[in-house]
Amino acid sequence: MKYAMNLEMKGRPCVVLGGGPVALRKVRRLVHAEAVVTVVAPMAVMEMAELAMAHRITWQQRGYEESDLDGAFLVVCATDDAEVNTRAAQTAKERGVLVNAPARPSLSDFTVPASLSRGHLLFTISTDGGSPALSRAIRQQLETLYPKSFGDWLEIVAALREEQKEHLAT
């Protein structure tokens, strides 16, 4: 059984090993969460290279080295080399660094659920790896039920709540 939580990632150093589509999906979400992302990969998909050129991430264009984990809060092991992923995950765990290994959940400290955000309104859906397709389908249903305007609405409600807390006893 997993312990669900929303983790503040702003400014936290995160290392993503790998430059393919799986690594890119992880990078997108970390960048969105305002983490400080370093990608280590000899090659990367075009969008990853574009993120590096735009200074949204740092790209170390080479293979993994143990020193890549120095100071990391979180590491994603998403290379196409199972041995590298295993070695990096073990090193990270020895250092107390959180690990996500999408291809090998047994190496992971956590999984990343499907999610939908509308401003500060965040829905997460997890099947604990049992059916990512079901998680995705539920997320797509939520997209139709909660349009982007819900984020704006939440900002207004949050401001009103703060104002009312000053005027009401409870």
Side-chain angles (χ1 to χ4, degrees):
M1 180 59 111
K2 299 286 191 284
Y3 180 77
M5 67 178 177
N6 294 326
L7 187 61
E8 178 60 62
M9 294 303 296
K10 185 176 184 176
R12 302 236 185 185
C14 299
V15 176
V16 177
L17 305 177
V22 173
L24 177 61
R25 282 195 307 272
K26 303 297 182 173
V27 166
R28 282 184 193 133
R29 291 183 72 178
L30 289 167
V31 167
H32 180 74
E34 301 180 49
V36 177
V37 180
T38 299
V39 172
V40 179
M43 298 182 345
V45 296
M46 182 59 74
E47 186 179 336
M48 192 90 76
E50 290 169 353
L51 287 168
M53 287 186 287
H55 304 288
R56 308 264 326 266
I57 65 169
T58 300
W59 178 19
Q60 300 294 326
Q61 200 168 354
R62 57 172 171 71
Y64 164 72
E65 298 171 6
E66 193 172 302
S67 62
D68 292 327
L69 303 183
D70 292 350
F73 173 75
L74 178 151
V75 64
V76 175
C77 302
T79 75
D80 58 2
D81 185 329
E83 184 180 317
V84 169
N85 290 338
T86 300
R87 192 176 65 224
Q90 289 170 340
T91 300
K93 286 179 183 233
E94 289 168 6
R95 296 179 180 198
V97 177
L98 292 172
V99 176
N100 177 250
R104 294 263 318 274
S106 63
L107 295 175
S108 297
D109 293 314
F110 65 97
T111 57
V112 180
S115 68
L116 171 68
S117 68
R118 299 296 191 229
H120 290 285
L121 178 62
L122 176 64
F123 297 95
T124 58
I125 305 100
S126 174
T127 60
D128 202 15
S131 177
L134 177 60
S135 294
R136 198 169 30 259
I138 292 170
R139 187 202 71 230
Q140 290 169 341
Q141 287 178 339
L142 289 171
E143 286 175 349
T144 63
L145 293 171
Y146 296 93
K148 292 183 180 188
S149 60
F150 266 75
D152 298 332
W153 179 81
L154 177 58
E155 282 186 36
I156 294 166
V157 169
L160 288 171
R161 179 176 180 262
E162 286 304 311
E163 184 180 307
Q164 292 305 309
K165 282 172 36 178
E166 293 177 17
H167 302 292
L168 300 174
T170 62

